[in-house]
Structure formats: C-alpha cells, structure tokens
C-alpha cells in the first residue's frame, strides 16, 4: 500500500513518466462514462415530464371521446326517448354556463368602466335581464335540493314540471312553442279584467275630451281593432293622477297588471307596486337602447323575443309583422319619460292597449 502511494506521488510529480496500470485506466473510464450517463439521465428526466404529460392528456381525451361516442350510440339505440332528454339537458347546461360567463364579463366591464345598466348596449342589457330571470328560476331548485337525498326528488319534479321549474335552455323545440302559448294564455286572462276596470273609471276622469278618447280606445280594443299610435299617446295624461295613477291602484288591480306582465301576483301590495315600477323601468330602458340600435339590426329570433317580452305572442306571427308591431311600440315608448312615479304609472297602462289589441287580433287563444 505504501509503495503504491509512492508510485502515484511520483507519477503526479513527474507527469507522464509513469503511466497508470490497466486497472487504474479501467476505473477512470468507468468513472467518466458514469458521469456522462448521469448527465444524460438528468437531462432526460428534466425534459420528459412535459412531453409525457401532453401525450397522456391527449390519450385520455381521445379515449374519453371514443367512450362518449359509444355511450351516445348505445343510448340512442336502446333508450331513444331518454337520449333526447339527455342531449337536451347537456346542451342546456352548456348554454347556461356560456350565459353565466357572458354575464360575468358584462358585469366586469361595467365595474371597470363605471357604467350602469341603462348605459349598456341593447344586447348586453337584454342578456343581463334574461340571465337574472333564469337565475331566479333556478334558485328555487337549488333551495329544494339542499336536504339530503332531495336531489332525486328534484330530478323527478323537473321531469314532471319542466315549464315551472326549468329555464328555456332545457326545453325541447316543441315545448318552447307550447310553453310560450301557455304563458300568453295566462296573461290574456287578465286583459278583460283590466279593460273592464278602465271602463268603470271613465266617469272619474276630469277632462271630457280624455273621457271620450278613453271610451273610443276601449271600444276599439274590445272589437279587435288595432288602435293607432296617436290614440294611445293622447291618453298619457289620464294615467298621471287619480284614478289611474299607479299609487292609487288597489291590490287586485296591481295583481291583474302583474299577471298581464308575467310577474308573480302573490306578493304584498307594496312589493307588487315596486315590482311593477321596476319592470316597466327596465322595459323602457331596453326600448331606448333598442331605438338607438335600430330594429333592422336585430335577427328574426331577437325580434320575436322582444315582441313576446312586450306582450305579443310572436311565435305564430310572421317576422315582418313583428317588426312593424315593435316599431309602433318603440314609437310610443320613446315618447314617454320615466322620471317620476306618475310617468312610470303611465307605462303600466300603456302596455295594456297594445297587448290587448294584439292578443285579440294577431295571437291565437
């Protein structure tokens, strides 16, 4: 051992005078190859996880699509009716999720730009209004599904009562038409009650000329005649004070108005009054935004939805007639000012003239 150490020292001092033996050479080669292998292995471990993860994700996605396709074909062959419901439910979830993301984006832009609801473009205003209505309807399902095992009952209730519990995204095309007809029939039931009340209060109107115009308007509506825009605008002053001002309406009258606007009538009178004011204000803001945009910029589906919201059962009416009706509506709406409670009350009653006549002349029972 001592002699080998002396030899190594001499070799180190004298350079290459003494060459290492074959064993030493072999050990040096193994050491060098080991270092090279360690460097290669470390570089491979550093680069492989990303590529392996991508390939794994693509493999899982491909397999999931294949399994999902087989599952859909199996349901379509063996359970066709359930497959239709399943497809509508999945598409409805996707559309509702897309609506939620769009509503969140609109609210974020409102917060960043410090703008309010009535300052939004028409389509964004309408999207927020409809999304709030959908969320309110879904809230009831969320509440009744809180107790343990109640979710099974919720699915049964959704299947049995789709019109009452589900939003439009989860309706079949046939259900969308049928349910809109049902809703329109419900609001038509209150039209005769409202018109009869208007006839009873005609003697209470102080102006004789307004009494005559109101009588003529009620007669036209009852005969199914389409009143002119000026016939309605002439009566604006009738709805500012007693007996047709919204602050002077009784509870049963506000309930009839709520049913005519597809609002719930099962609220205390103060809440009914507040709900009517809020709803008419929102419609008026939508009308101003739509007038700024222009009816010609709307698609056929948007025109029909806008008409239905304002009281016309547009599911069975041609597009050109819907555009004409909506233009007359905007002409009336944009001639009004919503600055005080009295002016808002005018809109509550102005709705009824066009709604009743359109229901009698254009819409099916």
């Amino acid at each position: 051992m001592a002699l080998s150490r002396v030899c190594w020292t001499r070799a180190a001092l004298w350079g290459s005078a003494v060459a290492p033996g074959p064993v030493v050479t072999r050990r040096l080669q193994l050491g060098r190859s080991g270092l090279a292998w360690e460097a290669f292995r470390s570089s491979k471990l550093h680069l492989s996880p990303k590529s392996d993860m991508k390939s794994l994700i693509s493999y899982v996605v491909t397999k999931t699509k294949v399994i999902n396709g087989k599952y859909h074909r199996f349901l379509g062959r063996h359970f066709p009716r359930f497959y239709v419901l399943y497809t509508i439910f999945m598409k409805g979830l996707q559309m509702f999720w897309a609506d939620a993301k769009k509503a969140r984006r609109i609210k974020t832009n409102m917060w960043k730009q410090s703008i309010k609801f009535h300052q939004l473009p028409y389509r964004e205003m309408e999207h927020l209004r409809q999304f709030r209505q959908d969320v309110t309807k879904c809230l009831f399902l969320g509440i009744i599904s809180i107790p343990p095992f109640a979710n099974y009952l919720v699915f049964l209730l959704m299947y049995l009562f789709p019109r009452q519990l589900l939003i439009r995204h989860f309706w079949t095309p046939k259900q969308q038409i049928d349910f809109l007809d049902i809703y329109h029939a419900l609001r038509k039931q209150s039209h005769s009650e409202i018109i009869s009340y208007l006839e009873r209060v005609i003697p209470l109107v102080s102006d004789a000329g307004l009494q005559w115009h109101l009588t003529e308007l009620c007669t036209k509506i009852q005969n199914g005649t389409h009143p002119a825009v000026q016939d309605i605008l002439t009566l604006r002053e009738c709805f500012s004070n007693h007996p047709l001002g919204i602050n002077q309406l009784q509870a049963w009258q506000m309930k009839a108005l709520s049913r005519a606007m597809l609002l719930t009538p099962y609220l205390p009178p103060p809440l009914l009054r507040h709900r009517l004011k809020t709803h008419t204000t929102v419609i008026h803001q939508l009308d101003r935004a739509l007038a700024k945009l222009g009816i010609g910029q709307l698609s056929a589906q948007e025109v029909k939805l806008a008409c239905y919201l304002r009281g016309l059962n547009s599911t069975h009416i041609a597009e050109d007639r819907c555009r004409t009706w909506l233009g007359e509506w905007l002409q009336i709406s944009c001639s009004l000012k919503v600055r005080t409670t009295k002016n808002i009350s005018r809109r509550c009653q102005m709705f009824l003239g066009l709604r009743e006549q359109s229901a009698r002349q254009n819409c099916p029972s």
Side-chain angles (χ1 to χ4, degrees):
M1 294 292 292
L3 182 59
S4 64
R5 290 177 182 174
V6 172
C7 292
W8 273 105
T9 303
R10 289 176 61 187
L13 293 174
W14 297 344
S16 60
V18 180
V23 178
V24 177
T25 304
R26 181 64 177 168
R27 288 179 178 175
L28 289 174
Q29 293 175 351
L30 290 174
R32 291 168 184 167
S33 63
L35 291 174
W37 169 252
E38 288 294 335
F40 174 75
R41 187 173 63 177
S42 63
S43 63
K44 186 176 181 181
L45 289 175
H46 179 70
L47 296 175
S48 62
K50 290 184 178 179
S51 58
D52 290 347
M53 184 59 66
K54 290 181 180 179
S55 61
L56 178 62
I57 292 175
S58 62
Y59 174 79
V60 172
V61 171
T62 303
K63 284 295 183 182
T64 302
K65 290 182 178 179
V66 172
I67 296 173
N68 192 36
K70 293 181 179 179
Y71 178 65
H72 279 225
R73 288 192 294 271
F74 172 78
L75 291 179
R77 286 196 305 266
H78 300 280
F79 306 98
R81 296 183 64 183
F82 176 77
Y83 177 69
V84 172
L85 297 178
Y86 171 78
T87 305
I88 293 174
F89 182 76
M90 296 305 297
K91 290 182 178 179
L93 285 179
Q94 294 175 0
M95 289 188 291
F96 184 71
W97 179 247
D99 287 348
K101 291 193 295 185
K102 184 177 179 180
R104 181 181 179 183
R105 184 171 62 252
I106 295 173
K107 296 292 289 185
T108 302
N109 293 335
M110 290 174 61
W111 178 76
K112 289 182 179 179
Q113 300 176 12
S114 299
I115 59 178
K116 296 183 179 180
F117 176 79
H118 67 276
Q119 297 173 321
L120 292 172
Y122 170 76
R123 288 189 173 92
E124 294 184 356
M125 291 175 64
E126 174 60 24
H127 183 83
L128 283 183
R129 184 204 64 81
Q130 186 62 54
F131 182 71
R132 290 171 183 171
Q133 181 177 344
D134 293 342
V135 170
T136 303
K137 199 170 185 179
C138 294
L139 186 62
F140 175 73
L141 285 178
I143 293 175
I144 64 177
S145 61
I146 291 177
F149 306 104
N151 52 345
Y152 300 104
L153 177 62
V154 169
F155 283 113
L156 178 61
L157 293 177
M158 287 191 299
Y159 179 78
L160 296 177
F161 306 100
R163 179 176 63 85
Q164 293 84 353
L165 299 179
L166 297 179
I167 60 177
R168 67 194 189 285
H169 295 324
F170 301 97
W171 295 346
T172 64
K174 183 178 183 303
Q175 285 178 335
Q176 292 182 6
I177 298 176
D178 294 341
F179 292 168
L180 290 180
D181 288 341
I182 292 174
Y183 280 127
H184 186 72
L186 291 175
R187 63 185 176 190
K188 279 181 62 179
Q189 293 176 1
S190 60
H191 289 171
S192 59
E193 182 180 358
I194 295 170
I195 295 300
S196 63
Y197 171 73
L198 289 177
E199 290 179 329
R200 289 199 301 268
V201 300
I202 288 176
L204 302 179
V205 178
S206 58
D207 191 291
L210 293 179
Q211 285 186 5
W212 183 84
H213 283 293
L214 186 57
T215 304
E216 287 295 314
L217 179 64
C218 292
T219 302
K220 287 182 178 180
I221 292 174
Q222 290 176 337
N223 294 333
T225 304
H226 189 96
V229 172
Q230 193 58 37
D231 294 339
I232 298 176
L233 291 177
T234 304
L235 297 171
R236 285 182 293 184
E237 300 302 325
C238 289
F239 304 99
S240 298
N241 301 306
H242 181 81
L244 296 177
I246 194 170
N247 289 331
Q248 287 76 37
L249 296 179
Q250 300 178 7
W252 66 271
Q253 297 163 348
M254 291 188 293
K255 289 182 179 181
L257 285 174
S258 298
R259 289 192 297 269
M261 300 178 189
L262 292 180
L263 302 176
T264 176
Y266 307 107
L267 292 175
L271 292 181
L272 283 176
R273 203 182 310 273
H274 174 74
R275 188 79 184 275
L276 286 172
K277 294 177 183 178
T278 303
H279 182 73
T280 53
T281 301
V282 170
I283 298 296
H284 184 70
Q285 292 169 350
L286 285 170
D287 291 341
R288 289 191 174 276
L290 179 56
K292 185 182 298 184
L293 175 66
I295 300 177
Q297 300 297 322
L298 299 183
S299 63
Q301 182 66 18
E302 290 175 330
V303 170
K304 287 182 176 293
L305 289 176
C307 291
Y308 192 89
L309 174 64
R310 290 156 178 82
L312 180 68
N313 190 7
S314 53
T315 55
H316 305 283
I317 302 178
E319 179 187 350
D320 55 345
R321 296 185 65 185
C322 290
R323 292 184 183 273
T324 302
W325 187 91
L326 188 58
E328 294 179 355
W329 175 279
L330 292 182
Q331 185 178 352
I332 296 174
S333 177
C334 294
S335 301
L336 305 176
K337 296 180 180 180
V338 183
R339 293 182 179 178
T340 62
T341 302
K342 296 177 181 179
N343 288 329
I344 295 175
S345 68
R346 298 173 189 171
R347 293 190 50 75
C348 292
Q349 301 286 350
M350 286 300 132
F351 283 162
L352 305 176
L354 283 178
R355 280 185 169 176
E356 178 67 17
Q357 58 83 17
S358 62
R360 289 179 176 271
Q361 183 179 7
N362 298 329
C363 302
S365 301

